[in-house]
Amino acid sequence: MTASLKNKLRRGISPVALAILMAVALVIWLLLGDTRSAKDTAPPPEEQAEEQMHEVETRWSQAQPLTREQVLQGQLLPWQQVQVMAQVSGRVAKLLKQQGDIISAGEPLLELSDEGRSQQLTQARAIYRLRQKELDGARKLRASNYVTENEIIRLEGEVARAQADLSAAQLAVEYNSPVAPFDGVVDRHHVEIGELVQPGAELMSLVNVSRLKATAQIPQQDAGRVAEGQAVKLRLLDGRELEGEVRFISLAADPQTRSFYVEAELANPELWRVAGGSATLRIQLPEVMAHQFSPALLRLGPDGNLGVHAVDEDGRVINYPVRVVAITNEGATVEGLPERLQVITQGAGFVDPGQQVRTEVVPEDETADAKASNEFQPGAAQSGPLPGQGAAE
């Protein structure tokens, strides 16, 4: 050996090179060990599937009967309202009824000056009797062929004309004293004694408020809930209440608002002065079976509709679509679910419909819904309008 080589051997291998050699050897050993372990100790397929199953927390939810209301903002109107108009010209001779007077159907309201209409009626009656006698005499002569058939026809036309003139004269005299078309109250009179009026002039305003009409617009998504005959409770602005029932629902929605016209009939035995004002209508809807739980359990299903995750009898996840009836401080009230189901209260955000899961059932008396609030994702639950929210509270 040369002197230089002998010197290198005496110095030995450097610490850096030794560290590199040891690291390479360790990596090779680990790779060989993992490969051999994977070949010799592969876990059974059953154990692998069990490790992939998610565990969720559930509780049983039982539906309870729920009385619902459809709340609408509406307007009160008189049951009947009419403007009495002048049919003939003349001066106001008498005001038989004053503002606030109670009236009956057919009762005279005022009198207009005659302006010769009574004389015209007397003349029309005389002419009619004359034409009728002429026709009767001609028919007797016709039996003896002294009068032609054409003459009979002419006289019948004269009688018809005289009868029409008589009817017009009778109406003109009746128009001298307009009468009430229904039972009610004189709300306003628009003329004074001695005032000259022409046909079409407003004379009096009559209303019937022994019953009232309440009108409102119902959103299209709630129109199917309301039916004729359903009970209605109406609350006035001052807190007083009236009761009645739905009597009409339009078949076509308003093209501007996409809402349906609803009309209710209400009794007003004390004749409260409320017609024309606004009020809140509470329509009593049929009782349904509904569940109540935390809004945190609501989530969007695969079809984009709001629903809730539950577990079926085979341990698979199902997303049931729901309709929200109300959301209060006590929780969300929903309908459309089975009468009894196993709701996922924790872990629903990590599983998909159809997936097999392991369940841990929480007793119904525990507040399991509170734990689910940690999973609540406002963006998912509120990405679309909640069906029915705010319609019935």
Side-chain angles (χ1 to χ4, degrees), residues 103-325:
I103 55 175
S104 301
E107 191 173 0
L109 301 173
L110 53 81
E111 289 183 4
L112 299 177
S113 58
D114 186 73
E115 304 296 330
R117 284 180 282 271
S118 296
Q119 290 80 359
Q120 293 175 1
L121 175 59
T122 301
Q123 181 181 4
R125 284 174 178 164
I127 294 175
Y128 173 73
R129 289 196 299 269
L130 176 62
R131 297 291 182 258
Q132 188 65 53
K133 288 185 176 296
E134 290 176 348
L135 177 60
D136 293 341
R139 284 173 175 170
K140 292 179 181 179
L141 294 176
R142 174 61 182 163
S144 303
N145 292 325
Y146 290 112
V147 176
T148 64
E149 184 67 24
N150 289 340
E151 181 65 14
I152 295 295
I153 294 174
R154 186 187 68 80
L155 290 175
E156 289 176 345
E158 293 292 335
V159 171
R161 183 181 299 108
Q163 187 175 15
D165 293 341
L166 175 60
S167 298
Q170 288 174 336
L171 284 176
V173 172
E174 291 177 4
Y175 291 153
N176 284 340
S177 183
V179 298
F182 52 75
D183 295 345
V185 178
V186 177
D187 191 52
R188 293 277 308 276
H189 65 70
H190 306 288
V191 293
E192 298 294 341
I193 294 178
E195 185 175 345
L196 177 64
V197 297
Q198 298 296 331
E202 294 183 357
L203 301 176
M204 289 186 178
S205 298
L206 309 181
V207 295
N208 176 11
V209 293
S210 61
R211 289 182 293 169
L212 296 170
K213 287 188 291 187
T215 63
Q217 298 289 331
I218 183 171
Q220 58 181 339
Q221 66 268 22
D222 298 323
R225 294 178 160 194
V226 180
E228 296 180 6
Q230 289 176 341
V232 176
K233 291 184 178 180
L234 184 140
R235 187 177 181 84
L236 305 172
L237 296 180
D238 58 6
R240 291 179 295 177
E241 293 187 350
L242 295 171
E243 294 184 356
E245 64 178 26
V246 177
R247 66 183 302 271
F248 176 75
I249 306 169
S250 62
L251 296 177
D254 188 308
Q256 302 297 326
T257 62
R258 305 298 180 187
S259 58
F260 289 80
Y261 173 81
V262 178
E263 186 175 294
E265 176 183 350
L266 305 109
N268 183 25
E270 298 184 19
L271 302 182
W272 288 347
R273 290 181 172 86
V274 294
S278 58
T280 301
L281 284 73
R282 295 184 177 271
I283 303 175
Q284 309 301 305
L285 302 179
E287 187 179 81
V288 296
M289 300 300 291
H291 293 258
Q292 187 179 69
F293 39 68
S294 169
L297 302 183
L298 300 176
R299 60 190 62 254
L300 293 179
D303 55 358
N305 294 324
L306 201 63
V308 62
H309 279 10
V311 178
D312 64 9
E313 58 184 7
D314 297 327
R316 295 189 179 277
V317 179
I318 298 179
N319 182 270
Y320 288 99
V322 299
R323 179 183 179 87
V324 178
V325 178

Side-chain angles (χ1 to χ4, degrees), residues 57-62 292-294 297 330 343-346 360-373:
E57 190 176 277
T58 66
R59 76 169 175 87
W60 287 98
S61 177
Q62 178 68 43
Q292 187 179 69
F293 39 68
S294 169
L297 302 183
E330 299 178 356
V343 181
I344 299 177
T345 58
Q346 193 168 19
E360 178 186 352
V361 181
V362 177
E364 297 185 20
D365 58 350
E366 294 187 11
T367 57
D369 288 349
K371 300 179 181 180
S373 61

